Amino acid sequence: MGNSHKYVYLFSEGNGSMRELLGGKGANLAEMTNLGMPVPQGFTVTTEACTQYYNDGRQINEEIQAQIYEYLGKMEEICGKKFADPENPLLVSVRSGARASMPGMMDTILNLGLNDVVVEGLAKFTNNPRFAYDSYRRFIQMFSDVVMELSKKRFEEIIDDVKAKKGVKQDVELDTDDMKNLVVLFKEFYKKEKGEDFPQDPKVQLMEAVKAVFRSWDNPRANVYRRMNEIPYDWGTAVNVQSMVFGNSGNNSGTGVAFTRNPATGEKALFGEYLINAQGEDVVAGVRTPSPISKLHEEMPQVYEQFADIANRLEQHYKDMQDMEFTIENGKLYMLQTRNGKRTAAAALKVAVDLVDEGMIDEKEAVCRVEPKQLDALLHPTFDPEALKKAQVVGKGLAASPGAACGRVVFTAEDSKEWHARGEKVILVRLETSPEDIEGMQVSQGILTVRGGMTSHAAVVARGMGTCCVSGCGDIVVDYENKKFSLAGKDYHEGDWIALDGSTGNIYGEAVATVPADPGSGYFGRLMGWADKYRQLKVYTNADTPRDAAQGYAFGAQGIGLCRTEHMFFEGERIKAMREMIVADNTEDRKKALAKIMPYQQGD
Ligand code: ADP
Ligand code: MG
């Protein structure tokens, strides 16, 4: 390839400082590889390739294609498997990864490389045909959704149909023949919609998937997320092509996500969830309700120990709380992702201060770790304790994102937006949320979901927004059609008032008054103390009245930077003198009126 530009890097060629080029996910996969951690190997197509794709009119040019195929060859050697080889097939995931983390905003495709022949090979090779066909039907589903933009819902309906005919409820109750049947039905549906067969050439599948990830950088929900988080459009996303490991290969396998510390409170303890015999998407999508990570300690003690050790090393290495994704394949642990974990304001404060006490970072660094915007979240309301005494708890879900919320029930993100536009306070009630709901979530006082754990979409996004969320309240029965839900024997209709406590998970079937928060906690005080110690700017306040000035002074302002004097003259008698001054039509009268308001101003 001569002296062409390098658009593709093996994980072993990158490192953690290359996030601009490799994206956050790619850079951290490289860094974990360098640390000798068990990472399924692969390569990263750079953010520059994404920019090039857009410059070329949404095409992957020959040069980049050639490099992708070249690195696929290198990857085959490293993994000791061959792409499209039924004897010992290499299957890959194709994962987006921008510089800044955008959880769930872009698309990932798993199990790529399967076709009608390879799936048979995989069934033989693993001696597990159910697993092989389960992987294949998942791949067809994801590829159709992400790459071909066929409705995800239709595939779910097909699955529901098969389950209903068989009289079972859970995916895990479907056997090999059911999976084979699903593959046939999916392919039929695909052909009907697309007018052609599902692509059988894995190389075509790969290139189409890379293209789809580049394209997903520009999808509406990613654009909304970027605007909200001030992420520039021209950054582009990298694409990671990674060897698959299988959490869905039996009861000695599974997949999960975990934080090194509690992302809601900052408490120092592994915090997370996992599902046995499941593949990645199942946990984050909130399809089944997962088990807490502490249970892994009982179920697979060795894997747990290894994971806890890796988590600890990662935290020491990055000197910050980590958010990790892992998969267990036949009892062996693999790390699939690590990043600095998103956290609530309260957790951000506690973690920053604790890291100083643990000697990992210094005071200056701690101050930089807490985003000013997040401190704002500490100023969120809590319930009025008196009102709370009278309120009745009618249900309980997971305390997914703290704060208190009170509003009227709506059932769709669209309705949230509409009601909000009319000046209503709303609580969005959903079976589960998905990235399309993000704008509606943003304008809701609180979010209540029936399914999904602490790492479900609703929970993660709400924590990022500083919005109260109670997730996974399985006692709720939602009836979208008639716009109502029932809980503890009572129906709640659209427009009824409810209240949520995102710090306890409590649900109240009535309006409960809220009060503003008191940020004067010990952690807040310590961090702000350090901010005062190191800052070089003085802080002056805007104050227009003696009351404002006193308040500003109490909050630590060192002076008044701006005073709009007219605000001194709005109250009581003063406004009259002020009006006289305004309506005076000669200098004499104006001087007289000014003489009246001067003493007020001097007195203030
Ligand atoms: P997101 O950026 O939305 O988190 P990811 O690229 O992390 O998307 O993929 C979602 C999930 O898919 C991961 O958490 C992981 O469980 C699963 N996954 C991705 N790549 C692999 C792989 N190579 N092997 C097994 N599971 C994978
Ligand atoms: Mg991920």
Side-chain angles (χ1 to χ4, degrees), residues 240-261:
N240 302 289
V241 177
Q242 184 174 30
S243 168
M244 281 299 303
V245 286
F246 297 100
N248 59 331
S249 60
N251 287 332
N252 201 17
S253 301
T255 187
V257 292
F259 291 81
T260 53
R261 300 178 190 231

Side-chain angles (χ1 to χ4, degrees), residues 25 40 92-93 95-96 102-106 108 110 242-246 255 257 279-281 284 325-327 336-337 339:
K25 199 180 289 167
V92 301
S93 63
R95 316 173 64 189
S96 63
M102 298 171 53
M105 283 302 119
M106 289 181 299
T108 290
L110 305 180
Q242 184 174 30
S243 168
M244 281 299 303
V245 286
F246 297 100
T255 187
V257 292
Q279 214 163 36
E281 296 288 292
V284 247
E325 301 178 351
F326 63 94
T327 281
L336 292 174
Q337 192 172 336
R339 61 185 166 207

Side-chain angles (χ1 to χ4, degrees), residues 374-390:
Q374 273 202 311
L375 288 176
D376 180 57
L378 291 175
L379 310 170
H380 275 315
T382 51
F383 286 122
D384 172 356
E386 285 309 305
L388 200 57
K389 273 186 207 155
K390 287 177 232 134

Side-chain angles (χ1 to χ4, degrees), residues 170-183:
Q170 302 260 343
D171 292 3
V172 285
E173 295 169 282
L174 298 175
D175 62 21
T176 310
D177 286 335
D178 300 322
M179 292 298 173
K180 283 188 176 171
N181 186 21
L182 278 178
V183 166

